[in-house]
Amino acid sequence: RASVVAHLKACGIVPETYVQRWFAGLTVHLNPFPSLFAFFDMFFENKTEFLIKFGISVFTELQKEILDTKRIDVLYEMMRFEPHCKSVTFDTQLMQRIVDKSMRIEFVKEFDINDLQQKMGVAIRRKMEEAAAAVDAVEVMES
């Protein structure tokens, strides 16, 4: 069975380019109002663990569409829940299915959520520093 993560990686799409829209804004600008309440209920009850489960549910719910798509721009539209995405309609029903799947996921292996948060934070900070350095380099070249 093909891996969604491997497919995205092969297309040059890394999580840092799309998960920020899911997690930093807690899907407020992505999630239709009715399913947003279910999202918040689960988030406040389970915190970061729910966000990880939500991400897994996105991959499982959109697996066929992701694996069938080779165009990078369309993959970004899907992964960033863009409203103009033609491959997937991010309506209340889809988002509710994703939230419902998230609630049913059980981790079979215990892991340290604090360690995971720290590793994610380090990776995000590193990417932000790389982006800032790239902007600085462009400004220097323009001067």
Side-chain angles (χ1 to χ4, degrees), residues 8 15 27-29 39 52 55 72 85 89 91 100 107 121-122 124-125 127-128 131 139-140:
L8 291 171
T27 74
V28 169
H29 56 294
F39 179 93
I52 295 166
I72 293 172
C85 180
T89 302
D91 58 9
D100 289 345
F107 294 123
V122 168
I124 291 169
R125 277 193 301 280
K127 291 293 180 185
M128 291 176 72
E139 289 176 357
V140 168

Side-chain angles (χ1 to χ4, degrees), residues 6-8 11 15 25 33 38 40 47 52 60 63 67 74 81 106 112 114 119 122-123 127-128 130 137-138 143:
H7 177 69
L8 291 171
C11 291
F33 199 66
F40 277 131
K47 301 176 184 50
I52 295 166
T60 59
Q63 180 176 12
L67 293 175
V74 176
F81 299 0
E106 294 293 329
D112 182 352
N114 293 324
K119 288 177 182 174
V122 168
K127 291 293 180 185
M128 291 176 72
E130 290 172 10
V138 170
S143 300

Side-chain angles (χ1 to χ4, degrees), residues 1-126:
R1 183 170 121 169
S3 164
V4 170
V5 174
H7 177 69
L8 291 171
K9 190 174 182 180
C11 291
I13 297 178
V14 294
E16 295 87 351
T17 60
Y18 57 86
V19 296
Q20 194 259 353
R21 286 183 53 105
W22 303 350
F23 300 155
L26 296 176
T27 74
V28 169
H29 56 294
L30 311 170
N31 209 337
F33 199 66
S35 53
L36 188 59
F37 286 110
F39 179 93
F40 277 131
D41 283 345
M42 292 308 300
F43 172 71
F44 289 127
E45 185 176 326
N46 299 290
K47 301 176 184 50
T48 305
E49 184 175 321
F50 171 71
L51 295 178
I52 295 166
K53 290 177 178 183
F54 179 82
I56 293 167
S57 296
V58 169
F59 289 139
T60 59
E61 186 66 28
L62 301 179
Q63 180 176 12
K64 180 184 179 338
E65 291 85 355
I66 292 169
L67 293 175
D68 289 347
T69 303
K70 305 290 186 248
R71 289 185 44 196
I72 293 172
D73 59 324
V74 176
L75 285 168
Y76 271 118
E77 288 175 359
M78 276 191 271
M79 298 315 300
R80 294 175 50 85
F81 299 0
E82 297 290 351
H84 61 273
C85 180
K86 301 218 183 339
S87 300
V88 178
T89 302
F90 294 100
D91 58 9
T92 302
Q93 291 79 19
L94 172 62
M95 296 306 290
Q96 189 63 53
R97 280 196 315 271
I98 292 171
V99 171
D100 289 345
K101 275 187 179 186
S102 304
M103 294 188 282
R104 292 190 307 268
I105 291 175
E106 294 293 329
F107 294 123
V108 293
K109 180 181 177 188
E110 289 295 319
F111 61 93
D112 182 352
I113 194 72
N114 293 324
D115 182 53
L116 182 61
Q117 285 175 315
Q118 181 180 9
K119 288 177 182 174
M120 288 171 61
V122 168
I124 291 169
R125 277 193 301 280
R126 190 176 309 124

